[in-house]
Structure formats: C-alpha cells, structure tokens
Amino acid sequence: MVTLLLAGPAARPPERIVVVSIDALHPAALTPATMPNLARLARLGRVTLDGHSTSPPKTLIAHTAMLTGLTPAQSGKRDNGWEEGDPTVAFPTVLDDARAAGYRTAFFYSKEKLGYLVTKGVDVHALAPDDAIQRGRAFLAAPGLAFLVLHVSGLEQVGTESGWLTRPYLVRATEIDRELAPLVAELERRASYFLVITSDHGGHEREHGTEHPEDRRLPLVIRSDWTRLPDLQGRAYEITGLRAILAPVFIGDRR
Ligand SMILES: [Zn+2]
C-alpha cells in the first residue's frame, strides 16, 4: 500500500504534471548502464521496482487500470482490443481528475487501441507512434497548468521478437531513455513539476500478457520538486494506485 508523506509545508499544485508510460518496460531494465536518465530520476526521486500490472497484464487492460484506478473486474475492461468507432471507457480517468482541477490535459499515445481511453476530460489527443514525445514537449511549453499522459512504445515489439531483457531489448530501452531526456530536462529546469515514469507490464523470454510473474512486473518512478511525495521505497505498488497518488497532487493546498 502506497501512502503519502504528509509532513512538510502545504503545497501548491505543480504547474506541470506528466505521466510517461513506457510500454513493456521490465523494471530490471532500469539500471544506470541501460537507462542512465531514468536511473538518475529514480536516484533523486522516489522509486519502486515492485510494481504489479493487471491480470492479464496486457496493454489496453493495464492502461485502463492505470488511468481509471479500477481493476478489470471493476471496469469491465477484460479484452485488449479497441478500434475507432467502438465505445470508449465509461469511467472517469486521471485526465478527467486533472481537467476538473483546472489543468489543460493532453494524451499522446502510440497504439490505436489506447484511443479507448480518450474521455471528455482530454483537451488534446493524438495517435502519435512517431512523435508522441515531441508533441508532449510542445504541449508542455505553453503557459498555464498542464497535465500530460504520454504512452511510448517500442519495447513490446522488440521483446516479442528478441526476448525481454535481451541485448536488442536493452538497446531499445537506452534509445527511449535518450529520447525522453530533453522532455525531462525541460521539466527539471522549470520549478513546480511532478513527473511519473511507469509501464503497463513486463514480459519474459518472448512472451508477455500471461500470468507469469515477470509479465506483471513494472517500475514506478516519481521525480518532483513538490513538497509531498509518495513513500515508495521498497513498497509494493499496484497499477490501479496511480490515480490515488495523483489525486492530492492536483489539489495541493486548494482545499
Ligand atoms: Zn504493453
């Protein structure tokens, strides 16, 4: 169970809140050698490598749980498919929470089926397999409170082709780490930010989405200058817990 540390002065809501979901990132890839940028964020911020995805741990099922805070049984989202024109999610998401708290919201994603998670609370959204990070940086450059969910893919494909945590997988992880560096640097240069980096699921050998424990594993990293940070160290984290972690961040001391 992840709880917030409530000690310290009252906090204003951060101007920039960003959730980056690196699809299929196994927590064992988050090392200084493979992902130096993310490893630095973990060292300076909060981290748990003991995160758990949904059952089954598949991309859309897991992201639905991540953004709604509901298990597949609670949300009814037990299948991993969605196409343009199908009904979208029937429950509010963390993007709706942000919008209600006065944030402009954006959701850039790299797989069409994540369009299932575009709700009324999303101001800007795009299927952006090639330039999600660039779109996110442009969105964050505008003034005002901003909340961004960024879905970055690439590891699931290389994991399926070559195997999780193999050399090609780790090379791709290093590329993603490098691609995210400018966005991270821009956030850190600006006071008042809250950055979450996580994933939807892990994998093992060339498999993912099964009940194998390595398939359910994921990391959670939080880097922020906010005064109240979740105490993650050594704690188990369920993918449904993100919305509860962010709820007090959106509100700050505006109570
Ligand atoms: Zn995935």
Side-chain angles (χ1 to χ4, degrees), residues 155-170 204-207:
L155 286 176
E156 191 172 293
Q157 187 179 346
V158 72
T160 303
E161 289 169 2
S162 304
W164 260 257
L165 300 171
T166 57
R167 185 74 198 145
Y169 176 96
L170 296 177
H204 73 286
E205 298 172 6
R206 296 182 188 182
E207 301 259 348

Side-chain angles (χ1 to χ4, degrees), residues 1-13:
M1 183 68 189
V2 172
T3 53
L4 282 173
L5 291 177
L6 291 174
R12 297 161 69 94

Side-chain angles (χ1 to χ4, degrees), residues 21-25 57-60 62-63 80 111 113 151-153 155-156 164 199-202 208:
S21 175
I22 301 175
D23 203 300
L25 176 62
K58 295 184 176 178
T59 300
L60 182 54
H63 278 98
N80 197 38
K111 290 178 179 172
K113 59 189 168 190
H151 166 252
V152 179
S153 68
L155 286 176
E156 191 172 293
W164 260 257
S199 181
D200 53 349
H201 56 77
H208 72 283

Side-chain angles (χ1 to χ4, degrees), residues 107-223:
F107 179 32
F108 301 122
Y109 49 96
S110 305
K111 290 178 179 172
E112 182 189 9
K113 59 189 168 190
L114 292 191
Y116 172 71
L117 293 166
V118 175
T119 61
K120 288 199 301 290
V122 181
D123 293 319
V124 185
H125 64 93
L127 171 61
D130 299 321
D131 62 349
I133 296 171
Q134 285 71 21
R135 284 174 184 257
R137 289 172 65 193
F139 173 76
L140 293 173
L145 296 176
F147 176 67
L148 168 68
V149 175
L150 198 57
H151 166 252
V152 179
S153 68
L155 286 176
E156 191 172 293
Q157 187 179 346
V158 72
T160 303
E161 289 169 2
S162 304
W164 260 257
L165 300 171
T166 57
R167 185 74 198 145
Y169 176 96
L170 296 177
V171 166
R172 182 71 187 110
T174 301
E175 288 171 2
I176 291 171
D177 186 78
R178 198 177 299 135
E179 289 163 9
L180 283 170
L183 183 148
V184 171
E186 285 159 12
L187 276 179
E188 288 182 309
R189 268 201 297 275
R190 152 197 291 284
S192 194
Y193 68 95
F194 193 100
L195 170 63
V196 177
I197 297 181
T198 188
S199 181
D200 53 349
H201 56 77
H204 73 286
E205 298 172 6
R206 296 182 188 182
E207 301 259 348
H208 72 283
T210 77
E211 296 301 331
H212 192 289
E214 297 303 313
D215 291 10
R216 291 192 63 224
R217 292 189 62 191
L218 57 87
L220 179 71
V221 176
I222 295 178
R223 167 82 166 131

